[in-house]
Each structure stands twice: as C-alpha cells, then as structure tokens.
Amino acid sequence: MVNFALHQLVRYGLERELIAPEDASYAMNRMLEALQLDGVEEAAAACELSDLEDILKILLDDAVARGVIEDSIVWRDILDTRLMGCLTPRPSEVQAKFRSLYAESPEKATDWYYKFSCDTDYIRRYRIKKDMKWVTDTKYGALDITINLSKPEKDPRAIAAAKLAPQSGYPKCALCRENEGYAGRANHAARQNHRILPLTIAGSDWFFQYSPYVYYNEHCIAFNGKHVPMKVERQTFEKMFDFLRTFPHYFIGSNADLPIVGGSILSHDHFQGGRYTFAMERAEVESAYTIPGYEDVKVGIVNWPMSVLRLNGKDDKRLVELADHILTAWRGYTDEAAVIYAETDGEPHNTITPIARIRDGAWELDLVLRNNLTTPEHPMGLYHPHAELHHIKKENIGLIEVMGLAVLPARLKGELASLEEAMVKGENLRADEKIAHHADWAEGFADEIKANPEKAGEIIRREVGLVFAQVLEDAGVYKRTAEGKAAFERFIRSL
C-alpha cells in the first residue's frame, strides 16, 4: 500500500501541475527521504487517482507504525506538509506564474492562486468540508453561521510537547513571511507547501496569501512584510484602497487594534479580504447624513446590529480624509450618558473596524465603531457578548463576525447534537453537565420542539443564529433603540 500511495502522490502532483514529468523522480526521492525509506518499487498498473486525504493517510499510518512520527495530529500534519512540500514549486516559479496570469486579469490570477493553494494542501479541503454551515434569517438579513471543525484540536500529548519545546523567535508569528517553506515544530505549524505573493501597498512591502481555514470564499490575508503591530490610522484606509486597486473584485477589512474588540493576532499588521458578500454589505443605509466639509461623500448609518457608518463616493482620497476625521474624533469621544469613554486611567477604549470595497464603480468604506471598556458586571467587555450568551459564543468579535459570519467553537457540534436528542426525548437538560449550560436558552423553544420533534435540529440551528444576532447587538456601542439612535446622532453631529 505504501508503494501504491507514493506513486499516487507523484501522480497527483503531475495531474495538478504542481510538478512536471521531468520532476517526478526528484519528487519521489525527496518523499522517500521524508519518510525515511530507502526505495520504492515500480508502479503497478494504472488505476483511478485516489483522494489526497486517503493517499496521505496510508503514508502517515505507515510512518507511525515504523516509529518515524508519533501518532498525533501535530506530527501527522508536520509530516504530510513536508510530503506536499516535495511537490510544491519554488516561490519564484509561483510568483512568475501569478504575474503572467495577472497581466491577463486579476480574477484569473487569483482563481489560479486559490486553486493552487488548495492543490498543495495548504488549504485542506477535506477538513474544511467538515465545518458545519447554515444561514439564519434575522431582522438584519441572512446571517452566516459556522461551527469551525477544520482547525484540528491538539491532543494532550501534543500540548505537553509544545510546552516542553524550546521557545523560538523564528518565525516571530504565524503571519511572518519567514513561514514560507518552514519545517514546523510542536508549537508552530509546518509550511513547506505554503507560497506567498509580494505586494506593494502604499509604497511599502506587503505579502498576499489565503487563509488555510477559509471561513468564506477566497478568504485572503494581506500582511506587512515587517513584524509590526496592528494599528488603525489614516494610512490604514489608504492601504485598503490601494489593495482594492490591485484586486478590485475583492473586499478588504482590518480588525480593530485594541484587545477584546480586536482579532487573534494583534502583533502583526494585516488585513483580511476575499470574494464574498457578507450580510453587512447587503444591509442598507437607514439614515443619511451630511458631514460639513465633506458634502461630496455620502454618509449613513447602516441597518446593522453593530454601529456602522458607511461612506461612499467617487474619490477615494476624500473618503480617506473623512474616515481619518471620524477615527480621530471617535478616539477622543466620550459620552457618559451612553456609557462611552474614550479612556479610563489612561487606557484607550475607542477604535474602529474598517471594511472597504468597490460598489457600482464607487469607493465604499464601512466604519464600525468599537469600544473595549470593561465593567464589574461585564468583566470581559461591556460591548462584548454578555454572559448569558457565552454558552454559544464568548470569544472576541473580530472582523469576520462583525460582517455577519459567526465562527462558533467546535464544542457546539457535540453539544447541539446531544441537546437535540435530549429535547426530542423530553429529558431533563440540567441533568447532563455537557448541555446543562444551554438549558435556560433551550427552555424558550422547548414547546416548539415538542410539537415538531422532526424539525428539532432545524429549530435549534435557527435559535443559534438568533443568538448570534444578539451577540452582535451586545457588541454594538449604540443600541438599536431610540436612545441608542439619539446617542449615535450626537456623535455624528460632533463631526
């Protein structure tokens, strides 16, 4: 079987055009070295190409049996990434191919690069297929709900090994350019099959790649060539529009630059984008305003659970000027009646999550107002999912969630399945510690499930989506009430 799998993997590389026929023996010998094998027999008669996951599993199982690696997801991932790296072209070849296709059209170039990133197994399609996804209709439109199952959970042995592993400053983080081709270790992912593309954004060196977890279509990342922290400033808006000049068919956004309301990697300046229409983009402006001195820019509050100002105009420089004016004003804005404080004890609280796109030939910029104030009642954040929603979502609300796509923890797959079974059977939800924390919430729709047990799963998924809408409302600094609207307009008048 190992002999079969090795020839299948070389054939996979040939059929996906990762290697040329002249590279076949070279690639085979590199894989033999990685697997600590001395040789391979001639290929058997031609047969249908197996799925990549099945091919790799044969080779990994054999490596475990021979003691080459431990039977852990961490070491399996390190080895299969090394194997795929044997089939992955050099960075210069990838960049040349992308440039040649970009000369024809940006879409053609990104189509190729995305497929390439999947074919090299950098994006593990067979894992992403495991993610649970559905759409929930809410008063804010159709929200995307996902339970993330594609990012593997480390087993206890792997966690222990990571703690014992020597702490290295190379690469400095998971985004740094030095990850390209890196062999990996217990506490840092292997990236031999990873290829990045150079970009010039606002006159500085940046790089472009896709996220290995693709939470949405063509989920890409643009990151600074230098390991510098996230910072939302005037130049942020300039860089975002510069990115759109290069990839006009994508949107681009930035996480906020403060803890609680920021993303998971604040230490490295980066954007996220892609080819996807989120619910927030579909949401319409509900109230329009004119900002003195910027009459040529359309400004409006978006019908969205979070507090969003949408700017739209033909001149991107004017949008940058107004966005910088709004950001500067918001950084220093306090409204005690609305429980908004620019700072407490010298700690800043106000920032913005910006998202840019080109819509119908005009530049558009959504500015989501954020505040990371904590209180004794809400120690994780006043404008953060409140405690009664933590059974579904307690993690930070970053860029992707802000736009209307819930990234929910993997634990919910088992918990919701157990909850559905218990509710259909009419069992005591509080008697099972695995689902007891869902009991208060579930009692609100227990009668509906009792009357429609065949729709239990559908009902639970709908209710999860409605919880996510509440999560976004909690994260909004101005609430969807008359008082909240009045407070929002006080800030707009201050501009």
Side-chain angles (χ1 to χ4, degrees):
M1 289 297 289
V2 172
N3 190 77
F4 168 79
L6 281 165
H7 285 289
Q8 284 267 297
L9 195 51
V10 170
R11 182 179 160 194
Y12 173 90
L14 290 167
E15 292 194 7
R16 296 298 189 277
E17 298 183 348
L18 299 175
I19 60 173
E22 299 88 339
D23 302 321
S25 294
Y26 174 77
M28 177 67 81
N29 286 331
R30 292 187 64 205
M31 291 191 293
L32 291 173
E33 178 186 8
L35 293 166
Q36 298 179 24
L37 292 171
D38 293 329
V40 62
E41 298 174 6
E42 289 291 326
C47 62
E48 186 176 342
L49 184 66
S50 301
D51 290 338
L52 180 60
E53 182 180 17
D54 295 334
I55 297 170
L56 292 172
K57 185 178 186 303
I58 292 170
L59 298 174
L60 296 176
D61 287 349
D62 175 72
V64 169
R66 291 185 293 110
V68 175
I69 58 169
E70 293 181 24
D71 191 10
S72 158
I73 188 67
V74 170
W75 298 110
R76 282 175 171 267
D77 279 2
I78 285 176
L79 181 55
D80 71 10
T81 301
R82 183 178 178 185
L83 291 172
M84 294 306 300
C86 298
L87 301 174
T88 305
R90 290 178 179 271
S92 58
E93 298 173 60
V94 176
Q95 293 172 25
K97 176 74 171 179
F98 185 86
R99 284 195 299 268
S100 69
L101 292 172
Y102 187 88
E104 298 180 41
S105 80
E107 292 95 332
K108 194 167 185 178
T110 54
D111 284 349
W112 172 81
Y113 181 51
Y114 183 74
K115 180 179 182 299
F116 169 84
S117 298
C118 293
D119 288 343
T120 62
D121 208 35
Y122 169 69
I123 295 174
R124 298 173 185 263
R125 285 174 286 200
Y126 46 85
R127 283 190 184 162
I128 290 161
K129 288 179 181 177
K130 298 176 182 177
D131 288 349
M132 296 175 63
K133 299 180 180 182
W134 67 91
V135 174
T136 298
D137 290 328
T138 73
K139 58 186 174 182
Y140 305 110
L143 301 183
D144 294 307
I145 312 299
T146 69
I147 295 178
N148 176 35
L149 303 171
S150 57
K151 187 181 291 187
E153 296 184 16
K154 296 180 179 179
D155 62 35
R157 288 174 300 172
I159 294 171
K163 288 182 179 179
L164 294 173
Q167 295 302 305
S168 170
Y170 184 91
K172 290 181 180 178
C173 77
L175 285 180
C176 285
R177 59 186 296 186
E178 290 81 10
N179 282 279
E180 185 178 38
Y182 188 63
R185 55 184 189 268
N187 55 4
H188 196 102
R191 289 289 183 255
Q192 288 104 321
N193 58 349
H194 181 37
R195 299 294 179 265
I196 60 178
L197 300 171
L199 292 177
T200 299
I201 296 181
S204 57
D205 292 335
W206 281 62
F207 291 88
F208 176 77
Q209 67 177 60
Y210 288 106
S211 166
Y213 307 114
V214 285
Y215 292 125
Y216 50 86
N217 186 49
E218 296 181 38
H219 178 183
C220 68
I221 300 172
F223 62 96
N224 199 316
K226 297 179 180 178
H227 183 78
V228 294
M230 296 279 294
K231 187 177 182 182
V232 177
E233 56 186 350
R234 179 192 179 100
Q235 203 175 25
T236 301
F237 311 128
E238 295 172 343
K239 291 173 181 174
M240 290 167 68
F241 286 137
D242 211 9
F243 176 91
L244 292 178
R245 270 184 275 273
T246 303
F247 301 112
H249 56 300
Y250 277 3
F251 79 88
I252 188 75
S254 172
N255 267 304
D257 55 356
L258 292 178
I260 298 176
V261 296
S264 58
I265 302 179
L266 294 177
S267 62
H268 197 130
D269 191 18
H270 70 284
F271 301 113
Q272 296 181 75
R275 187 164 10 186
Y276 191 72
T277 302
F278 287 86
M280 192 176 81
E281 181 180 344
R282 294 191 297 267
E284 297 182 353
V285 168
E286 62 182 12
S287 302
Y289 304 88
T290 299
I291 306 301
Y294 301 92
E295 289 80 6
D296 54 327
V297 179
K298 297 177 183 178
V299 179
I301 293 176
V302 178
N303 179 20
W304 193 244
M306 297 185 70
S307 308
V308 186
L309 281 174
R310 178 167 292 163
L311 282 53
N312 184 287
K314 293 291 186 180
D315 186 346
D316 62 298
K317 293 182 177 61
R318 291 290 289 160
L319 265 70
V320 168
E321 291 172 5
L322 178 52
D324 183 48
H325 174 56
I326 293 170
L327 174 64
T328 302
W330 179 247
R331 292 278 196 196
Y333 187 76
T334 291
D335 183 346
E336 294 187 7
V339 200
I340 295 171
Y341 294 89
E343 58 87 22
T344 56
D345 300 324
E347 178 186 352
H349 295 305
N350 290 347
T351 185
I352 280 175
T353 299
I355 301 102
R357 65 185 74 90
I358 297 173
R359 190 199 293 263
D360 298 329
W363 300 95
E364 190 164 273
L365 184 61
D366 285 347
L367 302 178
V368 187
L369 306 182
R370 311 298 301 275
N371 180 288
N372 74 347
L373 180 71
T374 60
T375 67
E377 296 80 16
H378 301 287
M380 294 183 70
L382 178 59
Y383 304 109
H384 178 87
H386 290 176
E388 65 270 17
L389 307 180
H390 287 182
H391 65 105
I392 297 295
K393 177 74 174 179
K394 67 178 179 180
E395 297 79 13
N396 290 356
I397 302 304
L399 171 67
I400 296 171
E401 284 96 352
V402 163
M403 295 186 291
L405 190 155
V407 182
L408 303 180
R411 63 175 172 81
L412 286 177
K413 178 184 179 183
E415 290 178 13
L416 296 182
S418 297
L419 182 67
E420 178 182 348
E421 182 180 0
M423 295 185 76
V424 168
K425 292 180 178 178
E427 296 175 348
N428 179 5
L429 304 183
R430 301 178 193 280
D432 184 347
E433 63 178 17
K434 183 179 179 181
I435 58 174
H437 57 300
H438 294 301
D440 288 346
W441 165 66
E443 286 170 357
F445 51 89
D447 288 344
E448 186 179 1
I449 286 182
K450 186 177 180 180
N452 303 277
E454 73 285 355
K455 295 184 177 180
E458 178 184 334
I459 293 167
I460 290 173
R461 287 190 293 274
R462 180 198 68 203
E463 294 297 322
V464 169
L466 295 177
V467 167
F468 180 58
Q470 291 180 264
V471 162
L472 295 181
E473 289 175 340
D474 283 353
V477 291
Y478 293 115
K479 303 309 174 187
R480 302 288 301 175
T481 61
E483 294 80 8
K485 180 71 172 291
F488 202 161
E489 291 186 329
R490 285 200 297 273
F491 171 67
I492 294 173
R493 285 196 299 272
S494 76
L495 299 172

